[in-house]
Amino acid sequence: MQNNENKDIEQASQKVRERMPLEKLRLVPKYRDLSAADYEQLIKNAETIALLILKALFLKK
């Protein structure tokens, strides 16, 4: 079960990388100087926030 969840999370992260690649994100003035490592950290942080929100929503019910 856990392995399947990790696979789903990785697929979702890959979709984000495809829709908002680093080159496209660098067009936004705030992210102009973003490095590849910073980009990966930004994706990871967004993933963590999304998972925390989903967890809070499902635990509330």
Side-chain angles (χ1 to χ4, degrees), residues 5-57:
E5 289 175 5
N6 288 340
K7 184 179 175 184
D8 292 340
I9 292 169
E10 185 57 38
Q11 287 176 347
S13 296
Q14 186 61 33
K15 284 184 182 181
V16 170
R17 287 183 186 96
E18 290 170 4
R19 289 184 181 188
M20 187 59 74
L22 179 57
E23 296 78 26
K24 189 174 180 181
L25 193 59
R26 283 184 176 160
L27 297 175
V28 178
K30 181 178 178 179
Y31 299 111
R32 185 165 291 145
D33 298 328
L34 195 67
S35 70
D38 292 338
Y39 173 73
E40 289 300 321
Q41 187 63 46
L42 185 65
I43 297 293
K44 181 73 173 167
N45 290 347
E47 177 183 298
T48 302
I49 291 169
L51 289 173
L52 288 171
I53 290 170
L54 287 172
K55 186 176 180 180
L57 288 173

